[in-house]
Amino acid sequence: MPLTPTDFRKAMGAFATGVTIITVDLEGTVHGMTANAFASVSLDPMLVLVCVDHSTRTHAHLHAKKRFGINVLAEEQRAISEYYARPERTHENAETEAAARFDRTRHGTPMLHGSLAYLECRLHSAQEAGDHTIFIAEVEDVIVHEGNPLLFFRGKYREVGDDVVR
């Protein structure tokens, strides 16, 4: 039997991930999207990657601005993740519908209140990969807070469980 996109999606869903919101400023307005295809690439230089579907509005914004934020969500930020995952979202309603509030960095990049970590990023390179682009960015600054992450596993949001005992 040939491999189907459903089979592939199911296999990838078996890999538990954290959840991030990619944020970018466009003419004074916060634009963002939920992403869990995010990873560390290098320590020297400090690089991360995020994969973004070509069909998203954020895709074009990342190419245009070349500066963005990655906000690692805390377990109580599920509503924010769901809001920014909707294709029909309007950025003007993020605070009223999902309690998403933002500060600005010295570069003007939106930084989400309450996130576990924030990474200020400058685009390093972009590589087309099927229906997505892999954006590799240099991390210029980080802010880290205490708390537990919002997780995504097998199509559902999860929370951190007990420690594994050997």
Side-chain angles (χ1 to χ4, degrees), residues 24-133:
V24 63
D25 171 83
L26 191 64
E27 299 174 1
T29 302
V30 175
H31 289 266
M33 63 167 276
T34 301
N36 64 347
F38 161 71
S40 170
V41 174
S42 170
L43 287 175
D44 187 18
M46 290 177 270
L47 300 173
V48 295
L49 69 78
V50 62
C51 299
V52 179
D53 190 308
H54 293 159
S55 67
T56 66
R57 290 176 288 193
T58 303
H59 185 273
H61 300 332
L62 294 178
H63 273 298
K65 289 295 288 191
K66 305 200 181 337
R67 178 170 292 284
F68 57 94
I70 299 174
N71 302 270
V72 178
L73 297 188
E75 64 187 357
E76 61 273 3
Q77 293 181 307
R78 177 179 174 170
I80 296 170
S81 173
E82 290 172 338
Y83 179 83
Y84 280 103
R86 295 189 334 234
E88 73 282 356
R89 71 191 173 277
T90 59
H91 303 290
E92 299 79 23
N93 297 329
E95 186 168 355
T96 55
E97 290 186 32
R101 294 186 355 262
F102 297 91
D103 286 326
R104 299 296 181 130
T105 67
R106 64 184 173 90
H107 296 290
T109 310
M111 180 174 54
L112 179 66
H113 282 234
S115 62
L116 283 186
Y118 172 78
L119 294 86
E120 176 89 17
C121 300
R122 183 176 45 82
L123 187 61
H124 176 273
S125 62
Q127 174 67 47
E128 298 301 311
D131 58 3
H132 281 62
T133 297

